[in-house]
């Protein structure tokens, strides 16, 4: 048998395993993985090369999202939401950048850009408007590591829809919310987020109106890498 080329590699294996640099690097990666628990909102930004998918149910919408860490402190993603009360669907591309870290606290602004399609159903909202809308959604995400498996969440987002087919229509919905994301094993996390704010819109009546804005999300996330 041709074993002459296997011998040197087998001889090197114990040396590599005992090399302090290699062991330290592996331990560092494992420690970083433990500190970066989360998939839906946490961590504030995914580590470079990390990715995650998530889905949530709640009021007034359902949604799915994908996140990809591209560089230290920077990630890109995509998400889709379905507002089942108005039967509208929104698709967005997102970008998030970590700007501040102190101890267990991390802060990262996010920008989402996309489009919303609304058939104009009025069984729930009699002032709902049919058409296509440009969605601009700036947000700020804050996380705090409570334990190795629990992360407290804070989010402020200001979703703005500008009418494309109905240019006189616009809607802005600033919401602030808090919640938590919990690691439940097998790279899965469970999250809950509650939001309150205002919903301001300018519709066909050409009158600007304001009502209570709210949101509740119960989500399940999966870390792929």
């Amino acid at each position: 048998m041709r074993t002459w080329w296997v011998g040197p590699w087998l001889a090197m294996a114990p040396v590599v395993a005992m090399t302090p640099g290699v062991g330290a690097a592996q331990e560092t990666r494992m420690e970083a993985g433990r500190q970066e628990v989360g998939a839906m909102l946490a961590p504030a930004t995914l580590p470079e090369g990390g990715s995650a998918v998530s889905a949530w149910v709640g009021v007034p919408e359902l949604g799915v999202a994908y996140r990809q860490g591209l560089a230290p402190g920077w990630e890109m993603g995509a998400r889709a939401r379905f507002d089942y009360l108005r039967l509208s669907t929104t698709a967005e591309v997102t970008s998030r950048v970590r700007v501040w870290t102190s101890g267990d606290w991390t802060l990262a602004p996010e920008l989402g850009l996309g489009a919303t399609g609304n058939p104009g159903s009025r069984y729930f909202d009699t002032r709902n408007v049919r058409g296509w809308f440009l969605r601009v959604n700036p947000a700020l995400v804050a996380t705090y590591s409570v334990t190795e498996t629990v992360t407290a969440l804070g989010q402020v987002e200001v979703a703005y829809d500008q009418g494309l087919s109905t240019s006189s229509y616009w809607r802005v919905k600033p919401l602030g919310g808090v919640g938590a994301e919990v690691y439940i094993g097998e790279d899965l996390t469970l999250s809950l987020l509650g939001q309150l704010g205002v919903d301001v819109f300018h519709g066909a009546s050409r009158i600007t109106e304001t009502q209570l804005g709210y949101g509740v999300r119960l989500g399940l996330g999966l870390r792929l890498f």
Side-chain angles (χ1 to χ4, degrees), residues 38-178:
M40 186 172 173
L41 272 181
T45 56
L46 288 176
E48 182 177 5
S51 61
V53 293
S54 60
W56 68 89
V57 297
V59 181
E61 61 185 19
L62 318 173
V64 293
Y66 173 78
R67 300 169 61 191
Q68 176 68 55
L70 298 180
W74 177 45
E75 70 171 55
M76 295 285 290
R79 63 177 168 237
R81 313 186 194 202
F82 176 65
D83 184 336
Y84 54 83
L85 297 182
R86 299 176 179 85
L87 303 184
S88 64
T89 302
T90 301
E92 297 174 82
V93 175
T94 63
S95 179
R96 192 185 297 181
V97 178
R98 184 176 65 237
V99 296
W100 180 75
T101 299
S102 179
D104 295 319
W105 286 97
T106 305
L107 199 63
E110 177 185 85
L111 180 62
L113 294 174
T116 298
N118 193 330
S121 173
R122 297 188 175 184
Y123 81 95
F124 174 78
D125 185 354
T126 58
R127 293 161 294 189
N128 194 24
V129 176
R130 178 181 181 179
W132 288 95
F133 307 88
L134 173 67
R135 166 64 63 90
V136 181
N137 190 10
L140 186 65
V141 176
T143 63
Y144 177 78
S145 297
V146 180
T147 68
E148 289 186 355
T149 58
V150 179
T151 302
L153 307 172
Q155 184 186 47
V156 177
E157 63 176 342
V158 186
Y160 175 76
D161 286 326
Q162 174 61 55
L164 298 175
S165 51
T166 308
S167 59
S168 63
Y169 177 88
W170 55 264
R171 187 180 209 116
V172 60
K173 194 174 181 181
L175 297 176
V178 294

Side-chain angles (χ1 to χ4, degrees), residues 11-34:
M12 288 175 62
V15 177
V16 172
M18 297 175 61
T19 302
V22 174
Q26 292 175 343
E27 185 176 349
T28 300
R29 286 194 294 269
M30 293 176 63
E31 183 63 26
R34 288 193 291 267

